[in-house]
Amino acid sequence: DAKTTQPPSMDCAEGRAANLPCNHSTISGNEYVYWYRQIHSQGPQYIIHGLKNNETNEMASLIITEDRKSSTLILPHATLRDTAVYYCIVRGANAGKSTFGDGTTLTVKP
Amino acid sequence: NAGVTQTPKFQVLKTGQSMTLQCAQDMNHEYMSWYRQDPGMGLRLIHYSVGAGITDQGEVPNGYNVSRSTTEDFPLRLLSAAPSQTSVYFCASSYLRDREAFFGQGTRLTVV
């Protein structure tokens, strides 16, 4: 599976959009990009995933560049409860072997 | 559905003791994995399974054994606990390769 690179930390003002970047320059054609978040020490929670096209659900939007080498997770109206560690992972055919990096700690400030 | 259930939630072991961390899922997922998370760090993959009877090593498998005799259960065994294995352990499962993984709430293990 391809490795990912994320900034260690980011801040965002409450009510504003949070844009979290992820680089995955070695991604291959059949690998998906997944985003999870971990609040405090709870188990990670799935947010969204995509292959090529941009995706949107009730939690967030995922923008994947045309060359698929990077992506951005967008939380449109961040709240204090969105403060968490956000993980971007790339997952291929072997679904069980998903490796996590250190993620981005997002702090939403009032 | 209960989702992914891990037991126990907390455990203290003495160095050299052995124990089994339990993980069960009721979603008929094929894929199950074990991760450990040390303080301030991300998750590291220990072992994973792509179906009953099939297991493989992840990034940090030393000191741990797994087996997958049923679809539902994926226990993680610590053979001889060491202080370096003090960590939070998470179990995860997923249905298909292009579907999301579900995580348990973790087992907090301290080895003294």
Side-chain angles (χ1 to χ4, degrees):
Chain A
D1 292 341
K3 297 296 184 184
T4 62
T5 304
Q6 299 177 254
S9 63
M10 294 182 64
D11 291 342
C12 178
E14 188 178 20
R16 303 297 294 270
N19 296 279
L20 291 89
C22 179
N23 285 325
H24 30 80
S25 58
T26 60
I27 193 170
S28 60
N30 64 348
E31 290 181 320
Y32 286 76
V33 178
Y34 281 77
W35 284 84
Y36 292 83
R37 73 179 182 184
Q38 186 176 28
I39 298 174
H40 299 298
S41 296
Q42 300 175 15
Q45 173 192 23
Y46 165 81
I47 301 173
I48 197 167
H49 75 285
L51 182 63
K52 297 180 182 178
N53 301 319
N54 299 338
E55 301 288 345
T56 296
N57 63 20
E58 65 279 3
M59 291 181 66
S61 294
L62 174 60
I63 309 297
I64 302 174
T65 58
E66 189 169 349
D67 62 7
R68 304 210 322 124
K69 292 185 177 182
S70 66
S71 61
T72 301
L73 177 74
I74 301 173
L75 307 178
H77 305 286
T79 71
L80 299 179
R81 287 178 293 181
D82 291 323
T83 292
V85 179
Y86 288 77
Y87 296 98
C88 165
I89 68 171
V90 173
R91 177 168 151 175
N94 193 339
K97 196 175 181 180
S98 294
T99 56
F100 286 69
D102 290 333
T104 296
T105 298
L106 174 69
T107 303
V108 180
K109 298 185 175 181
Chain B
N1 289 350
V4 180
T5 303
Q6 291 184 237
T7 56
K9 288 185 172 54
F10 301 92
Q11 183 71 48
V12 178
L13 286 179
K14 294 182 178 179
T15 296
Q17 285 184 317
S18 62
M19 79 158 294
T20 299
L21 280 62
Q22 301 292 344
C23 176
Q25 53 91 8
D26 60 357
M27 298 172 280
N28 202 32
H29 287 169
E30 298 171 303
Y31 304 109
M32 297 186 74
S33 308
W34 276 103
Y35 295 86
R36 62 175 287 174
Q37 185 173 36
D38 299 332
M41 298 183 66
L43 285 77
R44 291 185 292 170
L45 182 65
I46 304 172
H47 285 286
Y48 65 97
S49 169
V50 298
I54 305 170
T55 64
D56 206 347
Q57 296 181 350
E59 304 169 271
V60 289
N62 293 339
Y64 307 94
N65 275 356
V66 292
S67 60
R68 184 94 180 271
S69 56
T70 67
T71 299
E72 294 79 16
D73 300 299
F74 191 43
L76 178 71
R77 298 184 187 85
L78 279 70
L79 308 174
S80 177
S84 61
Q85 294 178 304
T86 293
S87 191
V88 180
Y89 292 84
F90 289 101
C91 178
S93 73
S94 63
Y95 184 48
L96 291 172
R97 61 185 181 187
D98 60 347
R99 297 286 295 274
E100 69 270 28
F102 294 82
F103 284 80
Q105 287 306 299
T107 294
R108 285 151 181 77
L109 176 68
T110 301
V111 183
V112 298

